[in-house]
Amino acid sequence: MSVDVLVLPSPLLGPVAYGPLAGALDARGASTAVADLPDGVLTPAAVLAGFVDQLVSSGASLLVAHSNAGYLVPALRAAVPVDAVVLVDAALPLAPGPTTVLAPPAFADFVAGLPKVDGLLPPWPLWWDPADVGPLFPSEDWLSRVTDGAPRLPPSWFTTPVEVPGGWEALPAAYLGFGGTYAEELTFARGAGWPVDVVEGHHLHLLSEPGATAEAVLALRERLR
């Protein structure tokens, strides 16, 4: 089905967490779909290929990428032209070079120390103390839903190189930050001349406040136009 907006979920969270944002964008006249993740153990190549296929089939003119999905945007945008991209509290490939890995070294070290079952990591919400992660979710029900739907990633997800085409920062992009967690990315976005907006909130603000997030995304789209 053709849509106006395709939301790329962070592979750490899975698509379930993005339903409220998609609904809020729909309610504001921007027909929206959330991209699926492939079945089985996830690899960057498989996720990127799935995103490419879904972007082509959706016909979306606006791509919205959150968190870890931001690393895949340069390669995705090189494969499929799209009118605009809004990166939402998203990681970006900041180091120069033709490839990137999907985590800073310190975070990859943290992930390597997490417990594993059958070589796979727990769902993302279980990486953290419940007292720390719980307030990121609007309710216990949402915490359970996202935990149940989050993929169990292999540690290699964070160390496998992904292509970063040269000059990718010239794509028509904007950046929406939730507070200053991604301060380096915000600095990069401003240096690249992208429209930037920062709202006070935590990393899952799009789940807690989907309406306000949708309005901020659409306002950045207008600035790109």
Side-chain angles (χ1 to χ4, degrees):
M1 183 178 68
S2 178
V3 296
D4 184 26
V5 183
L6 183 67
V7 177
L8 302 185
S10 168
L12 282 68
L13 287 170
V16 171
Y18 300 88
L21 175 60
L25 288 163
D26 273 329
R28 287 158 177 79
S31 59
T32 302
V34 179
D36 290 325
L37 296 172
D39 295 330
V41 177
L42 298 186
T43 66
V47 172
L48 180 59
F51 284 171
V52 167
D53 288 346
Q54 291 172 82
L55 181 56
V56 170
S57 63
S58 72
S61 61
L62 174 62
L63 194 63
V64 175
H66 177 242
S67 193
N68 193 262
Y71 284 119
L72 301 177
V73 165
L76 176 59
R77 178 60 182 77
V80 186
V82 65
D83 291 347
V85 178
V86 176
L87 293 132
V88 179
D89 223 37
L92 298 174
L94 301 179
T99 63
T100 185
V101 290
L102 305 189
F107 190 76
D109 290 344
F110 162 75
V111 168
L114 291 170
K116 302 162 193 70
V117 176
D118 297 329
L120 300 176
L121 297 163
W124 179 85
L126 299 184
W127 296 7
W128 318 101
D129 188 300
D132 295 329
V133 77
L136 301 181
F137 292 86
S139 67
E140 286 289 333
D141 178 63
W142 267 111
L143 173 57
S144 296
R145 290 170 66 182
V146 173
T147 301
D148 290 345
R152 295 182 56 224
L153 296 172
S156 60
W157 174 268
F158 300 96
T159 57
T160 301
V162 172
E163 181 185 4
V164 180
W168 71 271
E169 65 274 9
L171 61 82
Y175 197 97
L176 173 62
F178 299 145
T181 302
Y182 286 89
E184 290 185 79
E185 282 80 0
L186 286 165
T187 298
F188 178 91
R190 292 186 177 106
W194 298 356
V196 171
D197 188 16
V198 180
V199 299
E200 287 308 312
H202 53 69
H203 190 51
L204 300 187
H205 188 72
L206 52 74
L207 180 57
S208 298
E209 298 291 342
T213 303
E215 290 174 7
V217 165
L218 295 176
L220 284 168
R221 180 194 217 180
E222 288 303 310
R223 289 171 63 182
L224 282 169
R225 284 173 171 167

